[in-house]
Amino acid sequence: MTFTQSLAAAAQKNDSLLCVGLDPDPARFPAHLQGRPDAILQFCAAIVDATADLACAFKPQIAYFAARRAEDQLEALIAHIHERHPGIPVILDAKRGDIGSTAEQYAVEAFERFQADAVTVNPYMGHDSIEPWLAWPDKGVILLCRTSNPGGSDLQFLDVGGPGIQERLYERVARLACDWNSSGQIGLVVGATFPAEIARVRQIVGDMPLLVPGIGAQGGDIEATVTAGRAPAASALVINSSRAILYAGQDEHFAAAARRVAEETRIAINRYR
Amino acid sequence: MTFTQSLAAAAQKNDSLLCVGLDPDPARFPAHLQGRPDAILQFCAAIVDATADLACAFKPQIAYFAARRAEDQLEALIAHIHERHPGIPVILDAKRGDIGSTAEQYAVEAFERFQADAVTVNPYMGHDSIEPWLAWPDKGVILLCRTSNPGGSDLQFLDVGGPGIQERLYERVARLACDWNSSGQIGLVVGATFPAEIARVRQIVGDMPLLVPGIGAQGGDIEATVTAGRAPAASALVINSSRAILYAGQDEHFAAAARRVAEETRIAINRYR
């Protein structure tokens, strides 16, 4: 099964476009987990188990693990998801980007070591920084296109269209992503704070999966996001929420609190599909 | 001492603009190291010890370590460089790039966990993806500007200048890097296969450090690179060679072979300074 197929299957089975982002910050963990050597794994696995029937994907953010020498916990977490919740794809949020031989090493890291089903990749170095990832035909490669942070416009909003034609850099990335996507493995990251730009990207890329962070703690509006990004394919829209779910509760019932927020978010998204 | 100062001091002490890139590929290691659990560390430390008096910096490429669960060997390698060859800065080639809170985690990974003196960063997400790195005032942040791979032109060579003004995206990145560099911590990656573009970047950024990969195995011409990139500041130009040095020899004398190529490269660079 390819990444796109498993994403579509999970979205249909759980009637959900919600991706639960796993950005584990130990400073925000409930007291009973503080100081445990496997606290990151325990926290994330509890969130996963509480939300797996409400999500179409999980998205661990590797930086939170790498900063704490916790790659082993990331490996164990992804293995846990595959074993306990088979069929829910894992998107490794790593935003890697490098040329040929080095990109191959990063792909080994993401797909073989961590057993991710898809990975986020930075497009700044162009097509031959993307190709090595596509050598794993059942894996997904989700390129940064338009990010929702204030500095996202510094490069992504520049006009690259030439005389008389307006084309923003993020639009060009969307167009190139279509050119590079003969194998159907590519998706795009498009931030939720710019619904008009989600709509523009959707117009360019057809049914290509769009991963939209920025819901919840980052303040993106759900109705506008879903309306702008929806498409017929069940795998076409993945809406990520991380902190609003992870840190919904502060005590030993944190996983139940996370489940409540995940369920509310799933329902809010479905209202506009 | 800041990164720029230690780079200048090492360049002067060793009369060298050469950065030795550490991209350890176990398949290319000499037979006597094959199969050792610490082969990556042993190989890289031998290269480091054989070339430390010829280099102004070392640049480990993290992907080669991460693909093989060898973060511990990367930590040990950088500790080895700091202990045995104090004063030679370590540039962690990681090409990270993410927003605020996640960028902070990546900075902890690079600067605290791995004790790197500088790191390579992708500018696609803009100024607030750079700022968190600058919170470590003695560390360097080297942004991708113009890369030497064929796909480098897909985005970096696009004209973003607006009506009547030609400005390539990589030129804009160079200009933005100057705006973002009030603390003097920023450098740029500019590939060696485009000497005219190195010269153009130099013109934009003044004395800012330029890290130039692509010499040696990647075929960049040393005379053209040095002529285009040189500047009065001793820290302004850092020319990286990885595979041509690392794999100069195939047997147990590999470190001596690496030293010979490093020495030749150092001399070839110095001819045109």
Side-chain angles (χ1 to χ4, degrees), chain B residues 22 24-25 53 60 91 110 140 144 149 152 163 189 233 270:
Chain B
L22 301 167
D25 178 358
D53 63 324
I91 301 165
L144 296 183
N149 58 309
V189 174
N270 284 345

Side-chain angles (χ1 to χ4, degrees), chain B residues 113-126:
Chain B
R113 176 187 187 179
F114 289 116
Q115 294 286 315
D117 302 293
V119 66
T120 55
V121 172
N122 190 309
Y124 188 71
M125 296 182 78

Side-chain angles (χ1 to χ4, degrees), chain B residues 6 10 13-14 52-53 55-58 81-82 85-90 117:
Chain B
S6 63
K13 182 182 170 209
N14 292 340
D53 63 324
C56 67
F58 289 107
I81 296 171
H82 290 326
H85 311 288
I88 311 284
V90 175
D117 302 293

Side-chain angles (χ1 to χ4, degrees), chain A residues 27-245:
Chain A
R28 302 184 71 176
F29 288 176
H32 73 286
L33 289 177
Q34 298 279 350
R36 285 185 58 154
D38 63 345
I40 293 176
L41 174 61
Q42 293 303 324
F43 178 83
C44 290
I47 297 284
V48 162
D49 293 343
T51 60
D53 63 324
L54 305 173
C56 67
F58 289 106
K59 182 175 74 65
Q61 167 50 260
I62 195 171
Y64 286 82
F65 297 83
R68 295 177 181 80
R69 285 192 184 84
E71 283 86 2
D72 55 340
Q73 295 185 66
L74 178 56
E75 287 183 34
L77 173 63
I78 296 175
H80 174 93
I81 296 171
H82 290 325
E83 192 186 310
R84 299 289 185 87
H85 312 288
I88 310 284
V90 175
I91 301 165
L92 185 65
D93 197 353
K95 299 187 178 66
R96 301 298 193 238
D98 211 311
I99 55 167
S101 51
T102 305
E104 283 171 31
Q105 304 298 318
Y106 280 129
V108 169
E109 178 195 21
F111 297 148
E112 297 189 3
R113 176 187 187 180
F114 289 116
Q115 294 285 315
D117 301 294
V119 66
T120 56
V121 172
N122 191 308
Y124 189 70
M125 297 182 77
H127 68 268
D128 53 337
S129 71
I130 310 303
E131 278 161 13
W133 300 93
L134 302 175
W136 278 260
D138 57 337
K139 304 293 189 178
V141 181
I142 304 177
L143 306 182
L144 296 183
C145 176
R146 181 70 170 117
T147 63
S148 52
N149 58 310
S153 296
D154 288 340
L155 304 189
Q156 299 158 25
F157 208 62
L158 294 174
D159 185 356
V160 301
I165 302 163
Q166 187 185 82
E167 182 182 34
R168 306 294 184 186
L169 182 61
Y170 79 88
E171 296 174 294
R172 177 66 65 96
V173 169
R175 205 149 58 81
L176 289 169
C178 294
D179 295 347
W180 298 338
N181 195 31
S182 55
S183 62
Q185 292 168 262
I186 294 180
L188 293 175
V189 175
V190 188
T193 46
F194 306 107
E197 300 173 11
I198 299 175
R200 177 67 191 125
V201 172
R202 173 59 72 209
Q203 193 179 25
I204 297 169
V205 302
D207 265 0
M208 183 181 284
L210 301 186
L211 171 63
V212 182
I215 290 288
Q218 288 170 66
D221 177 73
I222 290 180
E223 177 178 2
T225 297
V226 179
T227 307
R230 64 191 170 196
S235 60
L237 186 61
V238 180
I239 297 180
N240 184 77
S241 180
S242 300
R243 284 167 285 171
I245 292 174

Side-chain angles (χ1 to χ4, degrees), chain B residues 49-241:
Chain B
D49 294 344
T51 59
D53 63 324
L54 305 173
C56 67
F58 289 107
K59 181 176 73 64
Q61 167 51 260
I62 196 170
Y64 285 83
F65 297 82
R68 295 178 182 81
R69 284 192 184 84
E71 283 87 2
D72 57 340
Q73 295 185 65
L74 178 56
E75 287 184 33
L77 172 63
I78 296 175
H80 174 93
I81 296 171
H82 290 326
E83 191 187 313
R84 299 289 184 87
H85 311 288
I88 311 284
V90 175
I91 301 165
L92 185 65
D93 197 354
K95 299 187 177 66
R96 300 299 192 238
D98 212 311
I99 55 166
S101 52
T102 306
E104 283 170 31
Q105 304 297 318
Y106 279 129
V108 169
E109 178 195 22
F111 297 148
E112 297 189 2
R113 176 187 187 179
F114 289 116
Q115 294 286 315
D117 302 293
V119 66
T120 55
V121 172
N122 190 309
Y124 188 71
M125 296 182 78
H127 69 267
D128 52 338
S129 72
I130 310 303
E131 278 161 13
W133 300 92
L134 302 175
W136 278 259
D138 57 336
K139 304 293 189 179
V141 181
I142 304 177
L143 306 182
L144 296 183
C145 176
R146 180 69 171 119
T147 64
S148 52
N149 58 309
S153 296
D154 288 341
L155 304 189
Q156 298 157 24
F157 208 62
L158 295 174
D159 185 355
V160 301
I165 301 162
Q166 188 185 81
E167 183 182 32
R168 305 294 184 186
L169 182 61
Y170 79 89
E171 296 174 294
R172 176 66 64 98
V173 168
R175 204 147 61 79
L176 289 169
C178 294
D179 294 347
W180 299 337
N181 195 31
S182 54
S183 62
Q185 292 168 261
I186 293 180
L188 293 175
V189 174
V190 188
T193 45
F194 306 107
E197 299 172 12
I198 299 176
R200 178 68 190 125
V201 172
R202 173 59 71 210
Q203 195 179 24
I204 297 168
V205 302
D207 266 359
M208 183 182 283
L210 301 185
L211 171 61
V212 182
I215 290 288
Q218 289 171 64
D221 177 72
I222 289 180
E223 178 178 1
T225 297
V226 179
T227 307
R230 64 190 170 196
S235 59
L237 186 61
V238 180
I239 298 179
N240 184 79
S241 180

